[in-house]
Amino acid sequence: MRFLITGATGLVGRELVKLCSEQHIEVHFLSTSKDKLDSIQGAKGFYWNPKEEEIDIDCFAGVSDIINLAGAPIAKRWSKSYKKKIVSSRIQSLKTLMKGLKSSGNTSISNFVSASAIGIYPDSPSTFYTEEDLEIGEGFAAEVVELWEAEAAKFKDIVSQLAIIRIGLVLSERGGALVEMARPVKLYAGAAFGSGTQWQSWIHIRDLSRMIHYICKNRLEGIFNGVAPNPVTQTKLLKEVAKILSRPLFLPNIPKSIIRLILGEMSSIVLSSQRVSSKKIESKGFDFEYQNICRALEHIYASDQ
Ligand SMILES: NC(=O)c1ccc[n+]([C@@H]2O[C@H](COP(=O)([O-])OP(=O)(O)OC[C@H]3O[C@@H](n4cnc5c(N)ncnc54)[C@H](OP(=O)(O)O)[C@@H]3O)[C@@H](O)[C@H]2O)c1
């Protein structure tokens, strides 16, 4: 097996490369930054510039599986121009991969696995979303994901198996949302946003990379939610973070209106509620190492010491 990974230098990508090395899977990766081509030990970097549909087609040599994780970060203020970048970075990456793959002569890709996000589901305080739910949420986050998945779906014609993983809130000690949420808690200033009752469908980063590997190894196709079996409310998540960091959580919640004023449209990331089911991937035999939030956080903060 040889994986080609885009976005390998990011949070999820680095964990996946680590798992590949444990599983003796060779890794090629694509980076938009020439400085990062030698930055991952044991993996071979290739340059691409999706904006210009430029790609080093040597990256496809001997590749059996492609994992697409590339995309500009969404947790930055959503100005008109940055919104364009969030969308175009994802669409152009897929278009460039497609063009490169076609001209590379590699016709034996088994699996194409593309990242997506649970932001495609509507904001709801109670619905337990499965991959069968077809209703798409309102707003920019859902819009991006819908376009992203439609572009990824085009790979169906040229690879044996196409899988799309709708990723939830990835928990890691190295970055992402948890680090941002834990920072004020560490400073005795933690507080939930809005009602705090919004559902946070999280996944431990190790389980997410195990899931990607599992999908490739077992040649699974279709859409899979990349979330752990037990989503929690934001208040519960913050309480557990505070408990593990031995900090009190005493401040009142920050009202929605203030969050909207500070974050603008991007506030939907922290205020919207998506309770998402992991049943489908479990029904395919995948076992989560981290099923509940306490164990996941214990592991994350134990490895932080
Ligand atoms: N982390 C989460 O909680 C979460 C939740 C839902 C969905 N996701 C999705 O899962 C994927 C991986 O997440 P992550 O947290 O690992 O993201 P990340 O840390 O931001 O890494 C994404 C990678 O994408 C590449 N990239 C950045 N700008 C790009 C551009 N304009 N064009 C092409 N590539 C670009 C970068 O690699 P180079 O600099 O090497 O090119 C970067 O390392 C992302 O697409 C993200 O939207 C993540």
Side-chain angles (χ1 to χ4, degrees), residues 199-259:
W199 287 99
Q200 307 267 259
S201 296
W202 57 274
I203 183 167
H204 189 293
I205 193 163
R206 173 85 184 161
D207 275 336
L208 178 57
S209 58
R210 287 178 59 245
M211 188 190 290
I212 295 170
H213 173 244
Y214 188 86
I215 284 173
C216 292
K217 194 173 152 204
N218 294 286
R219 309 245 178 277
L220 303 182
E221 57 188 340
I223 294 178
F224 295 93
N225 292 328
V227 297
N230 297 296
V232 291
T233 64
Q234 191 180 89
T235 298
K236 166 82 175 162
L237 176 59
L238 279 172
K239 276 187 179 161
E240 292 304 328
V241 170
K243 197 158 107 188
I244 214 141
L245 294 173
S246 307
R247 296 288 195 277
L249 198 67
F250 56 88
L251 292 177
N253 292 6
I254 307 169
K256 268 188 188 176
S257 53
I258 307 251
I259 303 291

Side-chain angles (χ1 to χ4, degrees), residues 143-189:
E143 216 175 279
V144 177
V145 180
E146 193 182 6
L147 293 169
W148 199 10
E149 290 193 358
E151 198 62 40
K154 295 181 184 168
F155 279 81
K156 219 172 183 169
D157 300 334
I158 61 163
V159 301
S160 305
Q161 280 86 223
L162 167 72
I164 287 176
I165 307 185
R166 291 181 174 163
I167 303 173
L169 179 74
V170 179
L171 300 186
S172 163
E173 75 281 18
R174 294 206 180 87
L178 181 64
V179 169
E180 298 306 319
M181 287 173 114
R183 189 171 293 131
V185 175
K186 283 183 183 170
L187 298 170
Y188 298 86

Side-chain angles (χ1 to χ4, degrees), residues 6-14 29-33 36 48-51 68-74 82 85 88-90 92-93 115-119 148 165-171 175-177 203 205 208:
T6 75
T9 61
L11 184 70
V12 177
R14 284 196 178 266
F29 71 93
L30 282 161
S31 178
T32 57
S33 166
K36 294 185 193 165
W48 71 336
N49 179 0
K51 217 168 149 185
N68 175 50
L69 302 170
I74 63 152
Y82 196 67
K85 187 169 177 174
S88 69
S89 62
R90 287 169 171 76
Q92 280 305 112
S93 293
S116 173
I118 60 167
W148 199 10
I165 307 185
R166 291 181 174 163
I167 303 173
L169 179 74
V170 179
L171 300 186
I203 183 167
I205 193 163
L208 178 57

